[in-house]
Amino acid sequence: MSLNKRILTFLSICLSLALLVTAGCSSPSGPGGGAPNDAAGEIKIGVVATLSGDGADYGVSIKRGLETARDRINGAGGINGRKISLVIEDSHGDKNEAINAVQKLINRDRVLAIIGPTNSGEMFAAGPVADKAGVVIMGTSNTARGIGEIGPYVFRNSLPEDNIIPITVRKSKEKLGFNRVALLYSSNNDWAVSSAKTFEEALREQGVAIVETQTFADGDTNFQAQLTRVAAAKPEALAVSALYKEAALLLIQARQQGINLPVMGGNGFNDPELIKIAGEAAEGALVGSPWYAGKDDPAVRDFVEEYKKRYHTVPNQFAAQSYDALGIMAEALKTEGAAADRARFRDALAAIKDYRGVTGRFSFDENGNPLMDAVVLQIAGGTYREVK
Amino acid sequence: MFWQQVVNGLTAGATYALVAAGYTLVFGVLEIINMAHAEIFMIGAFIGLLLVTGTCCPVWAAVAGAMIGAGLLGWALERLALRPLRKQGVSHLAPLISTIGVSIFLMSLAMKIFGPQSVRFPASVEPRFFNLFGTVNISLLQIVILGISLALVAALKVLLARTRLGKALRAVAENPEAAGLMGVNVNSVMAAAVVMASALGGAAGVLVGLQFNAVSPTMGIAYGLKGLAIIIVGGMGSVAGAVAGGLLLGAAEVLAIAYIGSSYRDAVAFIILIAVLLIKPSGIFGKLEGRKG
């Protein structure tokens, strides 16, 4: 009896505290948070990225890409004399944290627009919040279907896998001429399942037969049973949709079983970690990417050099895409009145056409998703090279 | 292809058996479940990895080094987390909790030292194949893994049956008080049991690392759960049961993936284990009645 009472008191204290905290959060300013920025000072852009926990690699690259872009824009005189400043929040890869960060940026920091969050799942949670408040939110790393479709204020400049995989399949087939493919994917990861479907459609369109489909789960380490089935079906190439860790183990075990076939990968293959774990077994793997650091283009060379000087590493696709994202926003800010008004900024951004960034020529489609080309890369000599 | 899959299953099962033998040895002698065993297994894998990448060593030396390292860790575990509790005569749940504590500590330590990413073994065994009966390709690596695991379990069996230490272990397992009265040093025998179990776990860690190339601080969790399931199905405290249970689970998993689908792997494997328990509740090699403390 007394225990029950104590639990009750404890719960009621917790509840009242929780109420106090939420009330405290929402009271200072209503939704929308009034006008952004001060009229003349810096133009504040909010950033939500996964800077700690799983996926911190992605967030750190994004932050570096954005800071490089900010310094470049400000160094060249800013936007009509006004400098851009970044307000950076860590979402820890968590949907709720992403929502909190977006609310803080809108209501407390009163940013003009937001870049991020990192994962598609976070964007599906936080995008509607910004959209409802009438603040532009732009993903630089979300590759799932339906991001731009969340609302008129939601944009992204990262190319979805729906666009990249068909290009990967077409180019790989041109180069290697296979007709029988085995498909392997992680069946408990929404993103991997969706890109496996895209692989299936793209292969069918190219007239390639899928002779075997095998699945596994994120976290699995033993792929021998699946690979034995695959080998028995005698394919001429493999298509794999998985995160880099599972993909790397799968490649190693395939080689151990004597399966020496060309492998096409989804976006999980687009990570130098894959080469680090799989080593020799990763050689020859093909993957589509919006970014290629070795591209013969002065803008790309300048960016790679600048980035290397700052962080002593070659920028990856996340750094490149976020570098371009701030560049695209800066372009839109040059429009009359866009720097002081969130709605005008949104219209200016949506009107961006043929922006030339380091990831290529860029436009938004009517939903705020990117229209751009991907390159196909092949792993050779422990690094990615463009397939011509 | 069926027999190829059976070979795959048995190689996976052999390492399960090795992990389970460690659990069963500690349970048989100390009557506790050592929840830190899975993390000792993981540390063993890292020690093997350091030996293979760092310096010289061929596979057998990596296995031996991992066994020594894991054995020392087992000794420390017994001295620091088990013996003090035993002296105070606390309930059987206390060592369970203290070993969980050690397991969390070891996992965090490995995270701190090696980072959360998986690391791979360098290709230390060439991918060479032997053809059996025209249909089955068994790789050199698979032979090495099967051979080392089965040899180690066989050595354990011989040690238990034929040596003085084995006799002492069996005596303590039967009744520690009586064994003590007969002049057996119960504390050292219990320490020996934990050290041997840990050494087996360390060897299993290296073999799993070689087999799947994924060594990470969290690799022990799945193997720990499988090891526990195996000793229950095989019969608590029985080494033969650990081997039979391990091979059964390995084969069941692989055949489930190959013929039913990967999402049903654990479901099928555990349905088989439950079926075994329904037919023989004490496990395949279990005696109906355990020792009464």
Side-chain angles (χ1 to χ4, degrees):
Chain A
M1 207 38 193
S2 76
L3 186 68
N4 270 341
K5 231 183 212 168
R6 224 180 289 165
I7 291 174
L8 254 176
T9 350
F10 177 70
L11 278 180
S12 45
I13 291 173
C14 285
L15 246 176
S16 38
L17 272 179
L19 276 176
L20 264 176
V21 169
T22 42
C25 279
S26 57
S27 57
S29 56
N37 305 305
D38 319 317
E42 296 179 322
I43 302 171
K44 277 202 244 177
I45 306 285
V47 178
V48 182
T50 306
L51 295 168
S52 58
D54 284 344
D57 278 357
Y58 302 145
V60 169
S61 300
I62 288 169
K63 180 168 168 261
R64 289 173 169 178
L66 289 171
E67 286 175 342
T68 311
R70 176 198 62 195
D71 294 350
R72 186 174 197 95
I73 293 162
N74 289 344
I79 310 292
N80 303 326
R82 291 176 67 188
K83 295 220 179 320
I84 289 182
S85 79
L86 299 174
V87 185
I88 299 173
E89 295 290 328
D90 183 2
S91 67
H92 315 285
D94 182 282
K95 288 176 192 169
N96 292 319
E97 293 286 331
I99 291 175
N100 289 341
V102 163
Q103 271 168 343
K104 176 198 170 258
L105 288 170
I106 295 172
N107 295 317
R108 178 127 33 106
D109 299 315
R110 310 206 164 193
V111 297
L112 175 70
I114 295 169
I115 290 177
T118 305
N119 304 328
S120 297
E122 293 176 279
M123 183 55 123
F124 283 122
V129 177
D131 189 60
K132 213 168 145 209
V135 177
V136 164
I137 185 162
M138 179 159 150
T140 67
S141 54
N142 317 133
T143 56
R145 266 176 218 198
I147 296 284
E149 288 78 354
I150 293 171
Y153 281 84
V154 183
F155 294 82
R156 68 164 149 194
N157 75 326
S158 44
L159 203 53
E161 292 213 294
D162 300 23
N163 301 31
I164 295 185
I165 286 174
I167 300 172
T168 314
V169 171
R170 185 162 43 82
K171 277 233 173 150
S172 308
K173 186 173 184 253
E174 268 171 29
K175 195 166 178 225
L176 305 164
F178 46 75
N179 288 310
R180 299 161 59 83
V181 166
L183 177 64
L184 293 122
Y185 65 95
S186 168
S187 61
N188 71 344
N189 181 321
D190 291 345
W191 155 80
V193 172
S194 132
S195 47
K197 279 212 186 85
T198 314
F199 258 122
E200 233 173 69
E201 288 159 19
L203 287 165
R204 198 165 303 137
E205 245 163 59
Q206 295 289 321
V208 177
I210 299 175
V211 292
E212 180 69 59
T213 304
Q214 284 290 318
T215 61
F216 44 88
D218 282 2
D220 276 5
T221 52
N222 183 354
F223 303 97
Q224 290 177 339
Q226 289 93 332
L227 287 167
T228 302
R229 293 280 311 228
V230 163
K234 305 221 179 322
E236 292 160 354
L238 308 182
V240 178
S241 170
L243 296 168
Y244 68 83
K245 186 187 148 195
E246 285 76 20
L249 296 180
L250 192 137
L251 288 176
I252 296 170
Q253 286 172 35
R255 299 296 185 254
Q256 276 174 357
Q257 287 203 8
I259 304 175
N260 289 310
L261 295 172
V263 181
M264 293 174 286
N267 205 25
F269 278 56
N270 225 331
D271 195 317
E273 277 293 319
L274 175 92
I275 303 178
K276 225 164 92 190
I277 301 175
E280 286 278 296
E283 289 290 301
L286 293 143
V287 60
S289 168
W291 162 246
Y292 174 51
K295 203 179 200 172
D296 190 24
D297 176 333
V300 172
R301 267 201 303 270
D302 282 359
F303 168 56
V304 170
E305 225 159 82
E306 173 70 20
Y307 192 91
K308 262 175 145 168
K309 210 161 64 199
R310 293 172 71 118
Y311 308 110
H312 311 289
T313 171
V314 178
N316 59 14
Q317 64 163 327
F318 298 100
Q321 282 172 333
S322 54
Y323 178 85
D324 272 355
L326 197 61
I328 291 164
M329 281 195 171
E331 190 69 26
L333 281 169
K334 287 180 189 155
T335 312
E336 172 89 43
D341 187 286
R342 285 166 170 166
R344 276 201 199 165
F345 177 67
R346 187 238 155 241
D347 294 339
L349 192 64
I352 290 282
K353 273 258 156 346
D354 292 333
Y355 172 81
R356 291 197 61 91
V358 293
T359 57
R361 193 187 292 271
F362 183 91
S363 307
F364 283 113
D365 71 3
E366 69 281 5
N367 290 319
N369 289 315
L371 291 170
M372 64 191 298
D373 270 337
V375 288
V376 176
L377 307 178
Q378 183 164 36
I379 299 172
T383 179
Y384 294 97
R385 293 180 203 286
E386 189 174 2
V387 176
K388 288 271 159 73
Chain B
M1 190 166 72
F2 173 76
W3 290 108
Q4 182 73 55
Q5 298 287 19
V6 170
V7 168
N8 292 341
L10 293 183
T11 5
T15 50
Y16 295 166
L18 211 49
V19 175
Y23 275 111
T24 218
L25 188 60
V26 170
F27 183 82
V29 178
L30 283 80
E31 274 221 331
I32 58 162
I33 289 187
N34 175 11
M35 296 302 282
H37 190 62
E39 273 57 48
I40 291 176
F41 156 87
M42 174 270 293
I43 299 278
F46 272 109
I47 294 174
L49 180 73
L50 290 179
L51 287 176
V52 170
T53 48
T55 48
C56 48
C57 307
V59 175
W60 65 265
V63 173
M67 287 181 77
I68 294 169
L72 287 174
L73 203 57
W75 179 78
L77 169 82
E78 204 274 338
R79 282 312 289 256
L80 300 175
L82 299 180
R83 194 175 294 185
L85 292 172
R86 197 161 62 234
K87 277 195 181 134
Q88 306 189 8
V90 289
S91 85
H92 277 162
L93 287 177
L96 186 77
I97 302 301
S98 74
T99 53
I100 290 178
V102 172
S103 106
I104 293 171
F105 169 76
L106 289 178
M107 202 191 296
S108 319
L109 187 73
M111 283 276 191
K112 196 83 201 149
I113 299 175
F114 303 106
Q117 301 281 17
S118 353
V119 212
R120 73 180 288 231
F121 265 82
S124 39
V125 179
E126 298 173 50
R128 199 186 307 155
F129 294 91
F130 299 95
N131 198 286
L132 303 179
F133 320 117
T135 49
V136 179
N137 280 318
I138 184 163
S139 72
L140 185 59
L141 183 66
Q142 285 177 315
I143 295 174
V144 167
I145 289 163
L146 268 171
I148 294 183
S149 344
L150 297 181
L152 282 173
V153 179
L156 175 66
K157 194 80 191 147
V158 170
L159 185 141
L160 286 176
R162 300 279 166 82
T163 62
R164 252 182 101 78
L165 176 61
K167 203 180 258 178
L169 281 162
R170 280 182 291 137
V172 173
E174 201 64 42
N175 187 330
E177 286 83 14
L181 289 172
M182 295 297 161
V184 175
N185 185 341
V186 176
N187 273 335
S188 347
V189 168
M190 287 186 167
V194 180
V195 168
M196 282 159 51
S198 301
L200 291 178
V206 179
L207 296 180
V208 167
L210 280 174
Q211 193 173 14
F212 305 133
N213 269 296
V215 177
S216 75
T218 49
M219 72 187 282
I221 299 170
Y223 279 83
L225 291 176
K226 283 172 188 165
L228 288 175
I230 289 165
I231 61 165
I232 291 167
V233 168
M236 303 288 274
S238 156
V239 175
V243 175
L247 296 179
L248 179 69
L249 182 65
E253 278 187 358
V254 164
L255 294 177
I257 294 173
Y259 296 102
I260 301 172
S262 73
S263 350
Y264 297 100
R265 178 192 63 196
D266 292 338
V268 171
F270 280 87
I271 284 172
I272 291 176
L273 298 190
I274 291 168
V276 170
L277 285 180
L278 286 176
I279 298 164
K280 194 147 188 300
S282 57
I284 303 173
F285 287 88
K287 298 179 200 77
L288 215 53
E289 202 133 341
R291 167 188 119 202
K292 295 277 188 266

